[in-house]
Amino acid sequence: AASTNWFDQVTRSGVGQDHNVSVSNASESMFYRLSLGYLNQDGVIQGTTAERLSLGLAYQQRLLDDRLDVRANVKGSRSYDLFTPGGVLSNAAQMGPTQPVLDPTVPTGYYDWPGNALTSADNPVAILGLATDRGTTYRSLGNIQVAYRMPFLEALRGNVNLGYDVAKAQRAQFSPSVLHAQVKTGAKGTEYRSDPTALNTVLDAFLNYAAPVGGIPGTVDATAGYSYSNAYAENPWFQATGLGTDVLGGNGVTTATIVQNGMDVQESKLISFFGRLNYNISDRYLLGLSVRRDGSSRFGKDNAWGTFPSASIGWRLSQENFFRNTPSLSDLKLRASWARTGNQAFANYQQYSTYRFGDNQSQVQFGDVFLPTIRPSAVDPSIKWEATNAYNLGLDFGLMHDRVTGSLDWYTKNTDDLIFTIPVAAGTNLSNFVTTNIGSMRNRGVELGVNVRLLQGGGSAMGWTASLNASHNSNELTNIAGSVEEILVGGIAGGVGTTIQVLQPGKPINSFYVYQHILENGKPIYKDTDGDGTINEQDLYADLNGDGVINVADRRTLHDPAPKWIMGFSSYLNRGNWDLNFTVRGYLGNYVYNNVASNLGTYSEITRASPYNLHSSVLETGFVTPQYLSDYYVEDASFLRMDNITLAYTFNWNGRPLRLSGTLQNAFTMTGYSGVDPTAGLNGIDNNIYPRSRTLTGGLNWRF
């Protein structure tokens, strides 16, 4: 038998290069900057590569005695990407370590479990060698901004901004008929193509007046304007199954048994009318008022519009007479605010269609265009704006001539008509899930930020500046609309329709919803405790409601994915030509459901027709059958991570400044979590995400 480390077989040290060159020039009334960039970066998974070429131009011109200011920016890029074909990471975790990588006796040259056993894992190295997933993307974004100072009123300015972001991509995925996944499912080779395009445009126009007000103290800064944005995307796609060739794209006409095609179309518009008024008296007393009237096409006409006002006040106590004689206090400002904000950031209601040829073989010319019928997907026609009322009380301070500065904030946010995507009963809509308003939520927290100049530096002396920030947040779903008591969410791999999280009033959003596993000597038990000759839920889990039956009523909410504390520390040291800076980040109280362990951590994996790898947790649990709903798999994922370290040396060479630097990203992570990454997955569910890489970058910056 072989001894194969499958993750070593599909991973590598990715090498890359990033080059940027810019040319700029300026005069009293004109400025331009031309930049060129090239990136080529290999991923840490074999066969993953990104290559990008970009060109940018920035231009500014002042006209009419500096009353008119015109600024334009445009950037274009071409990206070519080789993606990791589907199934590489999951099969690297599942493939038995006793199986070899190669098999010279078969046509592909790669070992795979013989036969058509649907439960057998696929050789991930074979997937990398035989399957293809590649794409090319062209993108351009730019804007032009015009500002004009009115000749009849110097304090009044008009501003207009026009912007766009356009992208066109081509994606091709191909799996030949000899690939093991194709053989065991009978797909006989598949090809999928998509050609998505997207265009986002924006128009902003506003007037601004900023000047002292005659007859009263202080200054007024007032703004009123209009904004319009439109996002449009379409994605024509084509899929062929049962190909008669193992060449990507074929040549001319290619035989396929099933052909499907369709068009996904999404479009949304957002229109806003807004106004803002700031009143400042000697930078001692400050007042701010604003209001927005937003209309979104994501809602029906009866719910399209929302009004969102805000108000804030500030008082700089350090300028009052009773604080001016305090030499150690350089700044002290008290502020308070209230705002009602709206959220319409959810997926557009998709439009799509599917066209299918008969099951008999059809002659298909790749590139043919078929006109599909468009129909909408799952829709809640009554969905409306999610609205949050936020209250904030803050304190800004400066000590010892601002050698120490910082801020302290307390906030509470009450959200109504919370927008969430939830499962719906079969047959009640066009999908198993729908995005809708589910109820209300509350967030409360504090935030602290401190910056300190520990050493002043200068000349050959060392300078040291450090900053610390910490934030604490508590989250609670306060109610669910209607008579619903709870909503099950958080789908996982394993079982059919298994969910591991819940939306439940009085609990944090996405709390884990699990059984309490009975422990023995600190380990979860797996034995027949009631003597009936079988091992099932009755033997393993606590009967929390005491009814003698283990069912959904005994599941409990346990922790949530969001951290209770987020902390960060940054340090910048310099002496002479050298400088060193680093950033450390930490989470406390965040939890992750280890779906890799729950899906592969049972001895039932070795009873399959083919060898399967086991997760090492099985050595502790002894589970023979899957226990997806056990609280054993909900792990404390608190961590401390060195995000980056940069060391640089700056000197003059031939009279020109030159900077050499080296940066290490993701230097190390300290955590008790047993998975690959404590920040893995979506909403705290870890299921084989692309691994976070440790990156070492060398840099050369030369100005000439």
Side-chain angles (χ1 to χ4, degrees):
S3 178
T4 305
N5 186 320
W6 289 103
F7 274 105
D8 283 351
Q9 294 293 324
V10 300
T11 57
R12 65 181 176 186
S13 295
V15 178
Q17 51 186 313
D18 187 7
H19 307 280
N20 294 278
V21 178
S22 64
V23 178
S24 61
N25 192 17
S27 66
E28 290 185 0
S29 60
M30 183 272 296
F31 166 83
Y32 75 83
R33 183 176 187 270
L34 181 66
S35 59
L36 177 67
Y38 175 75
L39 169 72
N40 190 308
Q41 178 65 59
D42 293 333
V44 295
I45 302 295
Q46 296 277 0
T48 309
T49 300
E51 183 182 41
R52 183 175 66 247
L53 181 66
S54 60
L55 179 66
L57 174 64
Y59 181 80
Q60 180 182 7
Q61 181 75 55
R62 293 192 297 273
L63 304 165
L64 304 178
D65 296 328
D66 287 346
R67 289 189 177 278
L68 181 64
D69 187 359
V70 180
R71 304 186 184 202
N73 295 275
V74 63
K75 185 174 183 179
S77 65
R78 174 196 178 274
S79 301
Y80 178 73
D81 295 282
L82 295 178
F83 302 100
T84 303
V88 170
L89 287 174
S90 60
N91 282 285
Q94 297 172 16
M95 194 75 174
T98 58
Q99 297 167 278
V101 177
L102 303 175
D103 183 357
T105 66
V106 297
T108 64
Y110 297 101
Y111 174 84
D112 269 302
W113 187 255
N116 298 334
L118 291 175
T119 58
S120 61
D122 304 323
N123 187 331
V125 182
I127 298 174
L128 287 171
L130 300 174
T132 307
D133 188 353
R134 64 194 185 198
T136 303
T137 303
Y138 298 90
R139 185 181 181 188
S140 176
L141 62 159
N143 76 298
I144 181 169
Q145 182 177 358
V146 179
Y148 183 66
R149 181 163 45 90
M150 305 299 176
F152 56 86
L153 189 60
E154 292 291 327
L156 182 63
R157 293 174 180 265
N159 295 267
V160 176
N161 178 60
L162 291 168
Y164 76 92
D165 183 352
V166 61
K168 179 174 178 55
Q170 297 174 332
R171 183 84 176 261
Q173 298 167 285
F174 175 69
S175 296
S177 61
V178 294
L179 195 66
H180 188 240
Q182 301 288 308
V183 172
K184 69 184 185 181
T185 60
K188 300 180 181 178
T190 60
E191 178 171 355
Y192 176 84
R193 289 188 182 188
S194 62
D195 294 284
T197 58
L199 173 62
N200 299 326
T201 54
V202 63
L203 163 65
D204 293 320
F206 61 92
L207 292 172
N208 174 256
Y209 177 86
V213 180
I216 61 174
T219 60
V220 169
D221 186 338
T223 300
Y226 167 83
S227 177
Y228 171 86
S229 61
N230 182 80
Y232 178 83
E234 60 181 41
N235 179 29
W237 57 269
F238 173 90
Q239 179 170 293
T241 305
L243 299 179
T245 178
D246 278 340
V247 179
L248 176 60
N251 294 305
V253 176
T254 299
T255 303
T257 56
I258 298 177
V259 177
Q260 297 171 290
N261 78 293
M263 172 78 81
D264 299 334
V265 179
Q266 298 189 35
E267 184 174 21
S268 65
K269 297 179 176 67
L270 179 66
I271 299 174
S272 301
F273 300 90
F274 57 88
R276 184 184 68 243
L277 174 66
N278 292 327
Y279 182 48
N280 186 328
I281 301 178
S282 303
D283 203 28
R284 182 187 302 180
Y285 308 110
L286 303 103
L287 172 67
L289 300 171
S290 70
V291 64
R292 291 183 64 95
R293 178 69 172 167
D294 294 327
S296 173
S297 65
R298 289 193 168 117
F299 306 104
K301 63 179 182 179
D302 294 334
N303 298 315
W305 290 92
T307 302
F308 307 104
S310 70
S312 63
I313 57 173
W315 180 21
R316 196 172 298 278
L317 289 87
S318 54
Q319 292 194 8
E320 300 294 344
N321 292 331
F322 50 82
F323 270 123
R324 285 183 176 176
N325 295 324
T326 308
S328 61
L329 182 66
S330 49
D331 187 28
L332 185 64
K333 177 183 175 183
L334 182 66
R335 48 187 167 77
S337 66
W338 166 83
R340 181 175 174 84
T341 57
N343 174 36
Q344 52 101 45
F346 60 94
N348 298 321
Y349 290 131
Q350 220 175 49
Q351 294 183 316
Y352 69 97
S353 69
T354 300
Y355 189 97
R356 174 172 171 167
F357 284 91
D359 290 336
N360 296 327
Q361 287 194 350
S362 305
Q363 295 295 314
V364 179
Q365 177 73 44
F366 284 108
D368 281 354
V369 176
F370 306 102
L371 299 178
T373 302
I374 296 178
R375 59 188 177 90
S377 64
V379 173
D380 175 8
S382 301
I383 192 170
K384 55 186 176 181
W385 283 90
E386 176 182 297
T388 298
N389 289 291
Y391 305 86
N392 177 271
L393 183 63
L395 184 71
D396 301 325
F397 58 88
L399 306 173
M400 297 178 290
H401 302 287
D402 282 348
R403 286 195 64 176
V404 179
T405 60
S407 63
L408 176 65
D409 284 88
W410 168 88
Y411 65 86
T412 182
K413 298 179 180 180
N414 297 313
T415 301
D416 298 319
D417 299 315
L418 182 66
I419 294 176
F420 222 92
T421 299
I422 61 173
V424 294
T428 60
N429 213 306
L430 298 176
S431 171
N432 292 330
F433 295 88
V434 67
T435 302
T436 185
N437 305 104
I438 67 164
S440 301
M441 173 182 66
R442 179 173 60 239
N443 280 278
R444 288 176 176 169
V446 293
E447 296 178 347
L448 172 67
V450 179
N451 302 286
V452 184
R453 292 200 314 270
L454 295 166
L455 299 174
Q456 293 283 25
S460 60
M462 177 175 288
W464 184 12
T465 301
S467 63
L468 171 69
N469 58 76
S471 62
H472 168 71
N473 182 76
S474 61
N475 169 278
E476 180 185 343
L477 183 68
T478 53
N479 71 77
I480 297 179
S483 58
V484 180
E485 295 183 358
E486 62 186 27
I487 301 173
L488 301 181
V489 294
I492 60 172
V496 178
T498 305
T499 58
I500 200 67
Q501 293 173 320
V502 69
L503 303 177
Q504 192 177 85
K507 302 296 182 180
I509 294 286
N510 291 322
S511 292
F512 297 106
Y513 198 43
V514 290
Y515 289 119
Q516 180 180 333
H517 210 120
I518 300 172
L519 302 179
E520 188 175 84
N521 298 323
K523 298 181 180 181
I525 66 169
Y526 191 80
K527 62 182 180 180
D528 179 12
T529 58
D530 58 12
D532 65 355
T534 62
I535 300 177
N536 52 36
E537 289 86 351
Q538 301 293 132
D539 302 298
L540 308 180
Y541 303 138
D543 182 10
L544 297 184
N545 64 357
D547 63 358
V549 179
I550 302 298
N551 54 28
V552 67
D554 295 298
R555 290 173 70 174
R556 59 169 179 158
T557 55
L558 180 71
H559 307 303
D560 70 289
K564 298 298 179 289
W565 285 93
I566 298 177
M567 296 176 291
F569 178 78
S570 297
S571 175
Y572 178 81
L573 297 98
N574 67 289
R575 181 173 183 178
N577 295 342
W578 292 93
D579 61 83
L580 171 69
N581 62 80
F582 62 85
T583 300
V584 180
R585 177 168 53 101
Y587 282 14
L588 293 176
N590 57 306
Y591 284 78
V592 169
Y593 176 80
N594 193 335
N595 198 190
V596 179
S598 67
N599 201 30
L600 297 175
T602 63
Y603 284 116
S604 63
E605 302 298 325
I606 63 176
T607 65
R608 299 183 184 228
S610 61
Y612 251 66
N613 191 25
L614 305 185
H615 192 271
S616 60
S617 63
V618 74
L619 300 177
E620 179 180 48
T621 65
F623 293 163
V624 175
T625 57
Q627 304 300 317
Y628 299 115
L629 301 180
S630 170
D631 62 0
Y632 170 78
Y633 296 111
V634 179
E635 300 186 39
D636 186 346
S638 301
F639 69 89
L640 180 69
R641 171 175 289 153
M642 178 70 76
D643 276 336
N644 58 73
I645 310 172
T646 298
L647 178 65
Y649 182 73
T650 303
F651 62 98
N652 288 327
W653 187 64
N654 288 338
R656 302 291 183 181
L658 190 147
R659 176 181 169 87
L660 298 173
S661 64
T663 299
L664 180 62
Q665 294 178 305
N666 190 27
F668 63 82
T669 301
M670 301 172 60
T671 181
Y673 177 57
S674 65
V676 174
D677 188 344
T679 58
L682 177 65
N683 290 329
I685 298 176
D686 179 5
N687 188 15
N688 268 322
I689 66 164
Y690 196 99
R692 184 187 300 268
S693 58
R694 179 178 295 113
T695 305
L696 178 62
T697 305
L700 170 64
N701 187 294
W702 187 24
R703 181 177 298 177
F704 57 90

